[in-house]
């Protein structure tokens, strides 16, 4: 692949030296470069391919980094990273000690705001714009690039609502490709669907109603047109809004045809886009699929079950239920607060609601979890996918805080199944009827059981189980850490024997069993795939103090700092909760 133009560019000031006539060729080279690297290193593909021309135009027209450019979520920022000093390290994207897959302030001065969750760009850019006015920097430009899925979120509207009554020099660019990770949903999406290049819908424009000057829609792949309109918008003061139509996956036929799969496709042939096959025969299925497929089984016999997800039907596998029972499963878009309170509202009417949401995204609806669900003892079942360390998406996506932030809420059950069968039985138990809400956390990726689809058995709430008897050290695990602990115990060569307990529930704890453990053992280790501060181990310590336990308790989990990106094995090693880390801890207690 020739990169005659791209090889001359390390920073945007190099880009601005090129004549406009060369920019289309640069776009082709940049797109090919992204495809070539992501094909072998993996990452988020479709979104970045869709904004290649827009990325070039923004850095060509605006004086970044003095002008401040904020990318929403950051899935689409690969071209931005390559043009802003990270071309030669782009092959390390999302790898341990490599560059982040998302914009990150301490990585580059061109990354003006750290992102990973959606819908933050407008508020952040508005904050920057107001700050610039206060400092007398009236010519400074502030640009927020947000997608059509993200702009439907409540926080985005809060930012627009405020911006419309300011004189802030803010440009909001809507990158409209009709899809986020899954296809966009909602009434705003229906409005945007009517908008095409050169045609603004005749109905009232909600953006103009919020006091923005509205421009577009324009073709996001027409570089000369983008350059012209962005240059014009530099001269307009106050809040303004540019509607840009793009195609996710642009330039790679397979990615254009299957935009959901090619959002983050894994490894593929760069020339054709064909996904590289890897053998899955005989492997356990993913936890998310255990959830999705089990829910379909339960819905077939229980017409009170409802499924809800905020924009993650494929990622959570609620898609199975949406396909089989479309009237009883809902994708509400990137609207976590709405998803939680919608679930609560349905629960008041006697429905059994399963709200499938990534652990890291439930953080965005914390008040609703407390105020709208737990305070009213509404038995909503929260299925927290991607709990624990998730790997290459890094600090913005690790689901390591949910144990700590959930266990302090009254009338909230917190469970973590150690394997697929345990998850399946918890889902079954939940729909039999609860008198309070339940959180079920489970990890990203595959489990350990090939034969997971066993007859349903009722789980006793708050009851733990002994997996292995012992006399010298008691290991207490929660959730998927049972597997690492079991392997570590098998490989342990020290003196004495190790007992292993799967606690199953963080709340309520099995106090009867724990009293027995405190009586029998003077050395205890707790292990969790979550933060140590305020987590499962803290709950054990609190009970031990209450019972005046005199022995030694060691807590293993994620330390009190943000864990960056890398594969899950590497990150568990950093946290010390991998098999070897647990084995070494056993040795130190011997």
């Amino acid at each position: 692949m020739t990169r005659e133009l791209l090889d001359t560019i390390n920073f945007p000031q190099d880009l601005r030296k090129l004549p406009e006539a060369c920019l289309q060729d640069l776009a082709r080279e940049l797109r090919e470069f992204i495809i070539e690297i992501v094909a072998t290193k993996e990452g988020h593909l479709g979104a970045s391919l869709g904004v290649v021309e827009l990325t070039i135009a923004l850095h060509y027209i605006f004086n970044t980094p003095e002008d401040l450019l904020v990318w929403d979520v950051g899935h689409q920022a690969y071209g931005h990273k390559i043009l802003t000093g990270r071309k030669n390290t782009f092959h390390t994207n999302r790898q341990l000690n490599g560059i982040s897959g998302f914009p990150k302030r301490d990585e580059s001065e061109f990354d003006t705001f750290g992102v990973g969750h959606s819908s933050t760009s407008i508020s952040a850019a508005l904050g920057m714009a107001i700050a610039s006015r206060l400092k007398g920097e009236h010519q400074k430009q502030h640009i927020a690039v947000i997608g059509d899925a993200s702009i439907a979120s409540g926080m985005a509207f809060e930012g627009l609502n405020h911006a419309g009554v300011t004189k802030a020099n803010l440009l909001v660019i809507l990158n409209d490709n009709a899809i986020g990770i899954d296809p966009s949903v909602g009434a705003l999406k229906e409005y945007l669907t009517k908008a095409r290049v050169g045609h603004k819908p005749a109905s009232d424009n909600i953006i103009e109603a919020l006091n923005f000057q509205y421009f577009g829609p324009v073709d996001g792949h027409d570089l000369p047109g983008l350059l012209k309109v962005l240059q014009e918008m530099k001269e307009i003061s106050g809040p303004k809004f540019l509607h840009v139509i793009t195609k996710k996956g642009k330039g790679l036929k397979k990615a254009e045809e299957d935009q959901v799969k090619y959002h983050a496709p894994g490894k593929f042939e760069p020339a054709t886009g064909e996904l590289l096959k890897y053998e899955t025969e005989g492997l356990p299925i993913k936890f998310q699929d255990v959830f999705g497929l089990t829910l379909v089984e339960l819905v077939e016999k229980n017409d009170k079950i409802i499924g809800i997800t905020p924009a993650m039907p494929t990622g959570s596998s609620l898609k199975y239920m949406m396909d089989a029972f479309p009237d009883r499963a809902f994708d509400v878009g990137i609207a976590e607060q709405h998803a939680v309170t919608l679930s609560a509202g349905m629960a008041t009417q006697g429905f059994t609601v399963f709200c499938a949401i990534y652990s890291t995204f439930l953080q965005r609806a914390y008040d609703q979890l407390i105020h709208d669900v737990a305070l009213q003892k509404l038995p909503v079942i929260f299925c927290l996918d991607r709990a624990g360390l998730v790997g290459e998406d890094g600090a913005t996506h690790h689901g390591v805080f949910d144990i700590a932030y959930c266990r302090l809420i009254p009338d909230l059950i917190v469970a973590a199944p150690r394997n697929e069968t345990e998850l399946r039985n918890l889902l079954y138990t939940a729909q039999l009827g609860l008198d309070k809400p339940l959180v079920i956390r489970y990890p990203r990726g595959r489990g350990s059981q090939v034969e997971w689809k066993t007859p349903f058995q009722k789980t006793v709430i708050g009851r733990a189980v002994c997996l292995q008897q012992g006399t010298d050290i008691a290991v207490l695990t929660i959730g998927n850490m049972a597997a690492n602990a079991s392997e570590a115990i098998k490989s342990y060569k020290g003196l004495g024997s190790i007992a292993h307990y799967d606690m199953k529930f963080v709340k309520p704890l099995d106090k009867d069993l724990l009293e027995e453990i405190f009586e029998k053992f003077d050395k205890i280790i707790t292990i969790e795939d979550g933060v140590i501060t305020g987590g499962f181990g803290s709950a054990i310590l609190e009970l031990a103090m209450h019972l005046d336990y005199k022995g030694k308790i060691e807590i293993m989990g994620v330390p009190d700092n943000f864990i960056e990106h890398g594969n899950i094995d590497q990150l568990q090693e950093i946290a010390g909760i991998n098999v070897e880390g647990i084995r070494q801890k056993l040795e130190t207690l011997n």
Side-chain angles (χ1 to χ4, degrees), residues 144-416:
V145 182
I146 187 168
D148 55 283
S150 295
I151 204 169
S153 175
M155 186 176 178
F157 273 95
E158 292 169 19
L160 290 170
N161 183 54
H162 182 197
V165 294
T166 72
K167 295 180 180 179
N169 195 13
L170 173 69
L171 169 60
V172 175
I173 297 178
L174 172 61
N175 171 34
D176 179 7
N177 57 22
I179 189 168
I181 296 175
D182 284 285
S184 301
V185 298
L188 183 61
K189 178 252 186 178
E190 297 298 327
Y191 170 83
L192 294 174
T193 299
K194 300 172 185 175
R196 288 293 171 260
V197 175
H199 171 68
K200 186 167 73 173
S203 57
D204 291 341
N205 187 314
I206 190 171
I207 305 302
E208 291 176 339
L210 291 170
N211 296 331
F212 275 74
Q213 297 184 69
Y214 179 96
F215 300 86
V218 299
D219 183 353
H221 303 297
D222 173 13
L223 246 176
L226 283 175
L227 295 171
K228 182 174 184 294
V229 72
L230 290 175
Q231 185 62 51
E232 291 172 355
M233 300 192 85
K234 277 182 68 173
E235 310 304 321
I236 300 171
S237 61
K240 45 207 179 279
F241 189 99
L242 176 62
H243 186 172
V244 177
I245 306 288
T246 63
K247 191 173 189 65
K248 189 171 183 178
K250 175 74 172 177
L252 186 65
K253 190 170 184 291
K254 290 282 187 182
E256 293 180 17
E257 292 172 347
D258 192 340
Q259 294 173 332
V260 173
K261 184 176 291 184
Y262 282 80
H263 171 75
K267 295 181 180 180
F268 60 93
E269 289 288 350
T272 64
E274 288 288 342
L275 299 179
L276 298 184
K277 294 181 180 178
Y278 66 99
E279 188 55 55
T280 60
E281 186 70 30
L283 292 179
I285 70 170
K286 296 177 180 179
F287 274 94
Q288 67 185 63
D289 290 334
V290 173
F291 160 75
L293 294 170
T294 299
L295 201 58
V296 170
E297 276 187 79
L298 296 173
V299 175
E300 288 171 347
K301 297 181 179 179
N302 184 344
D303 62 6
K304 289 294 186 181
I305 291 177
I306 298 290
I308 292 173
T309 187
M312 290 294 165
T314 301
S316 71
S317 292
L318 189 68
K319 193 77 167 65
Y320 292 122
M321 183 179 172
M322 292 176 71
D323 290 341
F325 299 93
D327 294 336
R328 291 164 61 187
F330 304 91
D331 174 6
V332 302
I334 302 176
E336 292 86 0
Q337 293 173 306
H338 169 58
V340 172
T341 304
L342 177 71
S343 300
M346 288 189 170
T348 67
Q349 301 304 303
F351 283 94
T352 301
V353 186
F354 288 81
C355 183
I357 184 168
Y358 289 8
S359 169
T360 188
F361 296 146
L362 184 60
Q363 295 163 191
R364 293 159 60 91
Y366 192 56
D367 182 59
Q368 288 69 29
L369 181 62
I370 296 173
H371 181 272
D372 299 339
V373 177
L375 187 61
Q376 304 185 79
K377 294 185 175 66
L378 294 171
V380 178
I381 302 123
F382 294 97
C383 298
L384 301 198
D385 197 352
R386 271 69 164 176
L389 295 166
V390 299
E392 290 82 357
D393 281 343
T396 58
H397 282 61
H398 294 319
V400 294
F401 302 107
D402 57 80
I403 292 177
Y405 71 65
C406 285
R407 81 171 188 88
L408 55 81
I409 301 174
D411 296 313
L412 183 64
I413 303 167
V414 182

Side-chain angles (χ1 to χ4, degrees), residues 455-473:
F456 289 118
Q457 293 184 353
K458 186 175 180 179
T459 299
V460 179
I461 302 296
R463 182 75 57 81
V465 63
C466 180
L467 301 179
Q468 178 174 312
Q469 297 286 349
T471 57
D472 296 291
I473 301 172

Side-chain angles (χ1 to χ4, degrees), residues 89-101 104 107 391-392 563-567 570-571 574:
T89 55
F90 186 63
H91 65 282
T92 70
N93 186 44
R94 304 172 80 244
Q95 297 176 32
L96 186 67
N97 300 321
I99 66 171
S100 170
K104 190 175 178 184
E107 187 177 287
E392 290 82 357
I563 302 292
E564 298 298 342
H565 48 277
N567 67 48
Q570 292 168 331
L571 301 186
I574 290 170

